[in-house]
Amino acid sequence: MRKFLVLLISVSMLIIPLTTFAETDNIGININSKSAILVDAGSQRVMFEKNADAKLPIASVTKIMTLLLTFESIDNGILKYDDIITASESSASMGGSQAFIDAGYDYSVEEMIKSVIIASANDAAVLLAERISGSEDAFVVKMNNRAKELGMENTLFKNCTGLPENDHLSTARDVAKMSAELLKHEDYFKWGTVWMDELKHKKDGRVTGLVNTNKLIRSLNGCDGLKTGYTSDAGFCVSTTAKRDNMRLISVVLGGSTSKDRFKESADLINYGFANYQNNKAVSVGQVISTIKINGSTNKTANLIAKDDYYACVKNDGTDKIETRVEIPESVNAPILQGQEIGKVVISLNGKEIGYVTLVSQNEHKKAGFIDRLKGIISFWN
């Protein structure tokens, strides 16, 4: 078994999340809604939570997962923005929020995406689901599988819209997880802050106005998404994201008694997060973190560098204690490729492991040939 070299370093940094931490003190914000959570989008650090694991109906907030699978289908080449979809009877017959699409007529994928993001259109969501999976039921299977992959342990989807259905439930914590995953898709932001748009129908040339259901994009500093929801069972719900400088936060509020309350509580949480936390660059891509001994090469050691940029979400009061532990083999055998993964940095926040950074070789190191070894022997005896 290989032995590993372990080095301890104290720095202010937070890397790939393994565990979340919640602040349990009174933050001075009155949250009357049934459930709420505030997290850093990058690290998923929990800054505040209230009943965050309570299973609740989430109404149209469900469409965050519908959009996530849609953008992933585009990334995977399954779908293109200019693909044309013929509206089915089932999609056109949806109730609730709608883009009022016409059965038997064509719409582009892009038109349906913007209708879901801006106007929370149920008919557009179902049409996208049918295009991706063949039917809404098959799409829901994908939704639940993706939820499991994201660690959404208390979520069960029964449809792609969030319309009322028995056992269609999620939690504030799970909504934050899928929200953070959706926000990795930059194309979402093409429509996230659009206040008004329109959808023109080919059947008769009529135009449906699309108005954003998220009022916070007009009133909350840095807000550029995400998704609202309401049914009589779910109450007023919202997942909100905002970015200021280099930090992005997500607040989720479920089961609000009024629309005004959900927006106020969500905004209050976002403002609290920005006022009390900061995101500092912890590791820069290409930064030399450690060195390692090489066997069988003309080079005796290799520099190990950070594979990516990472940021640390830390309290402004300086009370966070961050430690890092470098885990690398005692040595490696040549040849070594440039960018070859060799070890990692494990990060702890206040004594608990929270993530890691992958370390890679900065340069290529070839295996020493016969002449190189002979020169080494001669040099040793001189």
Side-chain angles (χ1 to χ4, degrees), residues 5 288-305 328-338 342 360-368:
L5 179 63
V288 177
I289 303 296
S290 186
T291 60
I292 190 170
K293 180 183 177 182
I294 310 175
N295 302 317
S297 173
T298 54
N299 303 108
K300 302 300 182 184
T301 61
N303 286 338
L304 300 182
I305 61 175
I328 57 176
E330 289 185 346
S331 64
V332 291
N333 296 325
I336 299 173
L337 299 176
Q338 184 179 26
I342 306 174
V360 300
S361 176
Q362 185 178 32
N363 299 300
E364 180 182 6
H365 298 276
K366 296 180 179 179
K367 190 173 183 178

Side-chain angles (χ1 to χ4, degrees), residues 213-276:
T213 59
N214 184 7
K215 294 181 179 180
L216 291 178
I217 63 171
R218 304 185 77 189
S219 60
L220 178 63
N221 179 20
C223 181
D224 49 10
L226 271 160
K227 191 71 199 74
T228 61
Y230 170 78
T231 64
S232 57
D233 289 339
F236 292 90
C237 307
V238 65
S239 177
T240 304
T241 186
K243 184 177 181 181
R244 299 178 192 172
D245 297 325
N246 61 6
M247 185 161 70
R248 175 175 292 282
L249 302 182
I250 297 169
S251 66
V252 179
V253 172
L254 303 179
S257 57
T258 69
S259 180
K260 182 178 179 180
D261 284 347
R262 70 173 165 188
F263 288 132
K264 182 182 185 305
E265 291 174 6
S266 191
D268 285 347
L269 287 172
I270 292 285
N271 287 327
Y272 166 82
F274 283 119
N276 290 277

Side-chain angles (χ1 to χ4, degrees), residues 14-266:
L14 181 64
I15 312 299
I16 303 171
L18 297 178
T19 309
T20 56
F21 294 84
E23 310 307 331
T24 57
D25 56 324
N26 185 355
I27 65 172
I29 298 175
N30 190 21
I31 303 297
N32 292 316
S33 297
K34 293 179 181 178
S35 176
I37 197 168
L38 173 67
V39 303
D40 169 60
S43 68
Q44 286 284 287
R45 178 173 187 169
V46 178
M47 303 171 182
F48 170 83
E49 65 180 82
K50 172 189 174 181
N51 299 329
D53 295 312
K55 293 182 180 181
L56 298 167
I58 61 171
S60 284
V61 175
T62 296
K63 296 189 183 86
I64 292 173
M65 180 59 79
T66 302
L67 289 168
L68 173 59
L69 291 180
T70 299
F71 282 116
E72 289 180 342
S73 295
I74 291 171
D75 290 345
N76 295 331
I78 297 171
L79 209 59
K80 294 186 293 185
Y81 287 114
D82 57 0
D83 281 351
I84 300 301
I85 325 172
T86 302
S88 64
E89 290 287 350
S90 59
S91 63
S93 65
M94 299 304 299
S97 301
Q98 300 178 65
F100 300 101
I101 61 177
D102 297 308
Y105 286 83
D106 293 341
Y107 297 89
S108 71
V109 167
E110 182 170 351
E111 287 176 324
M112 295 299 92
I113 289 174
K114 79 172 183 179
S115 296
V116 174
I117 294 177
I118 299 172
S120 191
N122 293 322
D123 46 3
V126 171
L127 188 55
L128 287 171
E130 292 174 341
R131 170 62 179 82
I132 293 169
S133 298
S135 69
E136 184 182 7
D137 287 344
F139 187 79
V140 170
V141 172
K142 286 188 176 182
M143 294 173 70
N144 286 314
N145 288 340
R146 192 69 178 100
K148 290 179 181 177
E149 292 172 355
L150 293 174
M152 297 169 61
E153 299 177 354
N154 294 301
T155 294
L156 178 63
F157 295 114
K158 290 295 191 74
N159 57 55
C160 70
T161 60
L163 287 171
E165 195 162 343
N166 289 339
D167 298 324
H168 184 104
L169 303 170
S170 187
T171 69
R173 193 184 313 280
D174 284 357
V175 169
K177 289 178 181 179
M178 68 176 178
S179 298
E181 195 68 19
L182 175 60
L183 294 174
K184 294 178 182 179
H185 297 270
E186 289 295 326
D187 280 1
Y188 165 81
F189 297 103
K190 292 179 181 178
W191 300 281
T193 57
V194 175
W195 179 244
M196 297 182 70
D197 205 325
E198 59 185 30
L199 176 66
K200 188 172 183 179
H201 301 272
K202 294 180 178 61
K203 180 179 180 180
D204 52 13
R206 65 190 171 83
V207 173
T208 297
L210 305 175
V211 180
N212 204 312
T213 59
N214 184 7
K215 294 181 179 180
L216 291 178
I217 63 171
R218 304 185 77 189
S219 60
L220 178 63
N221 179 20
C223 181
D224 49 10
L226 271 160
K227 191 71 199 74
T228 61
Y230 170 78
T231 64
S232 57
D233 289 339
F236 292 90
C237 307
V238 65
S239 177
T240 304
T241 186
K243 184 177 181 181
R244 299 178 192 172
D245 297 325
N246 61 6
M247 185 161 70
R248 175 175 292 282
L249 302 182
I250 297 169
S251 66
V252 179
V253 172
L254 303 179
S257 57
T258 69
S259 180
K260 182 178 179 180
D261 284 347
R262 70 173 165 188
F263 288 132
K264 182 182 185 305
E265 291 174 6
S266 191

Side-chain angles (χ1 to χ4, degrees), residues 307-318:
K307 190 175 182 180
D308 298 293
D309 289 330
Y310 287 98
Y311 289 83
C313 177
V314 296
K315 292 181 181 178
N316 289 344
D317 61 12

